[in-house]
């Protein structure tokens, strides 16, 4: 390996070691790696150009700020309990609570809509405790009687609800650019390689 490649490998090993050992907070380690990459001249061009601009310019991408905005939006929804209110509002619609299948489909629609505008992982994380509470509440009602006879129905409903949350969040993440970090990364590469920009609605 050339000198810049060796220095970059050393920074990578140092960052991984600090992340595993938690010698510094994760964010501090990340910033330290960026700073070392800029100061050690890893991205310097052969003609003597300064590579610090190249290192830091990657963090000024509009795609990155859109991703940060999506995470802030998800945090605001979680802090104010909007996800819980939305889920409970849908579940109280006429006819939804009359069937366990309708409850599962309603949860799927909730996950689909939320994950279109929030990271799909964050959506699944927000809906999981709501789904678990619903399972604990509905299991005695759905299958009264001794535990042996009710266990298969409980298992089917719980499994279906958990899978619906996961699948709906994954599918909803494909609807908009901020639905999944992978969407933003892909859009960034497309814009960089082809020069064509993809709008939000497009």
């Amino acid at each position: 390996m050339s000198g810049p490649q060796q220095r970059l490998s050393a920074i990578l090993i140092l960052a991984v070691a600090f992340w595993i050992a938690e010698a510094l907070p994760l964010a501090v380690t990340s910033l330290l790696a960026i700073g070392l990459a800029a100061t050690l001249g890893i991205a310097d061009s052969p003609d003597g150009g300064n590579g610090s601009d190249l290192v830091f310019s990657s963090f000024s991408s509009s795609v990155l700020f859109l991703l940060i905005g999506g995470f802030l939006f998800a945090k605001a929804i979680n802090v104010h309990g909007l996800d819980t209110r939305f889920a409970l509002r849908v579940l109280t619609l006429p006819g939804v609570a009359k069937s366990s299948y309708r409850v599962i489909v309603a949860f799927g629609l909730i996950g689909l809509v939320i994950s279109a505008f929030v990271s799909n992982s964050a959506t699944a994380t927000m809906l999981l405790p709501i789904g678990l509470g619903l399972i604990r509440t509905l299991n005695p009602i759905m299958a009264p009687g001794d535990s042996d006879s009710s266990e298969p129905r409980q298992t089917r409903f719980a499994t279906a609800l958990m899978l619906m949350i996961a699948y709906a969040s994954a599918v909803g993440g494909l609807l908009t650019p901020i639905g999944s970090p992978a969407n933003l990364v892909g859009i960034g590469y497309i814009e960089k390689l082809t020069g064509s920009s993809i709008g939000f609605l497009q």
Side-chain angles (χ1 to χ4, degrees):
M1 290 190 297
S2 63
Q5 292 173 339
Q6 292 177 1
R7 294 194 293 272
L8 182 60
S9 300
I11 293 174
L12 175 63
I13 293 171
L14 177 69
V16 171
F18 275 22
W19 280 329
I20 294 174
E22 296 183 1
L24 293 172
L26 298 180
V28 175
T29 302
S30 303
L31 293 174
L32 176 64
I34 297 168
L36 288 174
T39 55
L40 294 178
I42 289 174
D44 289 349
S45 59
D47 57 358
N50 187 0
S52 299
D53 294 339
L54 179 61
V55 172
F56 291 112
S57 65
S58 302
F59 296 92
S60 62
S61 170
S62 59
V63 173
L64 181 64
F65 284 103
L66 184 60
L67 179 62
I68 293 173
F71 282 124
L72 291 174
F73 185 59
K75 184 63 177 178
I77 288 176
N78 197 306
V79 167
H80 294 285
L82 187 60
D83 54 333
T84 305
R85 297 179 196 176
F86 181 58
L88 294 178
R89 176 61 182 161
V90 172
L91 292 175
T92 56
L93 292 175
V96 172
K98 292 183 178 180
S99 167
S100 59
Y101 296 107
R102 293 180 184 178
V103 171
I104 293 170
V105 170
F107 248 85
L109 294 175
I110 293 168
L112 189 75
V113 171
I114 294 179
S115 65
F117 301 99
V118 177
S119 171
N120 47 13
S121 303
T123 301
T125 304
M126 289 189 293
L127 291 180
L128 180 64
I130 303 172
L132 291 176
L134 193 65
I135 291 169
R136 284 192 295 267
T137 303
L138 292 184
N139 272 339
I141 302 173
M142 289 172 52
D146 57 20
S147 59
D148 294 335
S149 63
S150 63
E151 187 174 357
R153 290 188 64 184
Q154 292 181 11
T155 303
R156 283 197 300 269
F157 174 72
T159 303
L161 189 60
M162 293 297 105
L163 288 175
M164 180 60 80
I165 290 174
Y167 289 146
S169 300
V171 172
L174 300 174
L175 297 180
T176 63
I178 60 173
S180 173
N183 297 349
L184 295 174
V185 173
I187 289 174
Y189 275 120
I190 290 172
E191 292 179 352
K192 182 178 180 181
L193 295 176
T194 66
S196 60
S197 61
I198 300 176
F200 191 91
L201 296 179
Q202 183 183 5

